[in-house]
Amino acid sequence: TNMMEYDKAVVSTQSTGDEQNLAVLTDHGVVPILSKLVVAHANDDYVRGHIADAIGRCCIWGNNRKEFGARDVVKPLVKYLKSKDTFVYKAAAMALFHLSLEPENCVVMHENHAKQWLVNMVGDDDWKLQEAAAGCIANIRHLALANDIDRSQR
């Protein structure tokens, strides 16, 4: 079953080019499948890169960001940032940026020290990686500032 789920993840990576495909994939349970795979393939860089890429692409549809967070995908993706494989850490940074648009996911990123890995990526030669890393850091920071303001007004 793991290989079949991996195949579905690869297909979803290649099929998420438009909203109709994302809607169909979501309706067919791609979020739970990818959520299981993110942990099941924790040590296989080839698979991890494709899983992170698929998660990032699926985040732009509906409530997928929130559902991925509820399925504990954020913490393992933060670990993907530590990979030596360029495709893996770039795909993870892109996925985390999309996930960071959901406040609960920012909390998990903060608790798992994503910023320390993302800060280094802001200086990368790849401008897409720079923007994803900087955007993710900004979203984490905005949530922290909002929490500070909320606490100070109590």
Side-chain angles (χ1 to χ4, degrees):
T1 357
N2 258 353
M3 203 52 170
M4 194 152 86
E5 289 178 344
Y6 169 70
D7 289 342
K8 288 179 184 177
V10 171
V11 167
S12 71
T13 300
Q14 296 167 348
S15 302
T16 54
D18 65 49
E19 288 188 5
Q20 286 181 326
N21 285 341
L22 282 171
V24 170
L25 287 167
T26 299
D27 289 346
H28 283 84
V30 73
V31 173
I33 291 169
L34 290 170
S35 299
K36 281 192 267 179
L37 290 173
V38 81
V39 175
H41 292 283
N43 298 316
D44 185 339
D45 272 344
Y46 177 78
V47 179
R48 291 190 317 163
H50 289 287
I51 293 167
D53 186 55
I55 289 170
R57 292 171 186 263
C58 289
C59 279
I60 61 173
W61 179 255
N63 290 323
N64 287 353
R65 277 190 287 267
K66 191 172 193 134
E67 189 176 345
F68 278 125
R71 291 178 177 276
D72 300 321
V73 165
V74 177
K75 184 176 179 177
L77 279 177
V78 170
K79 291 179 182 173
Y80 285 21
L81 293 175
K82 302 173 189 178
S83 175
K84 302 280 188 237
D85 186 296
T86 307
F87 179 58
V88 174
Y89 70 76
K90 284 182 178 184
M94 296 299 284
L96 288 169
F97 166 69
H98 291 293
L99 288 164
S100 74
L101 299 172
E102 186 64 42
E104 291 86 4
N105 295 337
C106 287
V107 172
V108 177
M109 288 178 212
H110 179 71
E111 290 171 348
N112 288 278
H113 312 288
K115 279 196 308 189
Q116 79 181 52
W117 298 97
L118 293 166
V119 166
N120 294 330
M121 294 175 188
V122 173
D124 195 89
D125 291 335
D126 181 334
W127 66 269
K128 287 182 180 179
L129 177 59
Q130 290 175 6
E131 288 187 357
C136 195
I137 292 167
N139 290 336
I140 294 167
R141 186 69 190 130
H142 289 144
L143 182 66
L145 287 172
N147 286 337
D148 288 348
I149 290 168
D150 184 52
R151 272 187 242 128
S152 70
Q153 292 177 348
R154 289 182 192 175

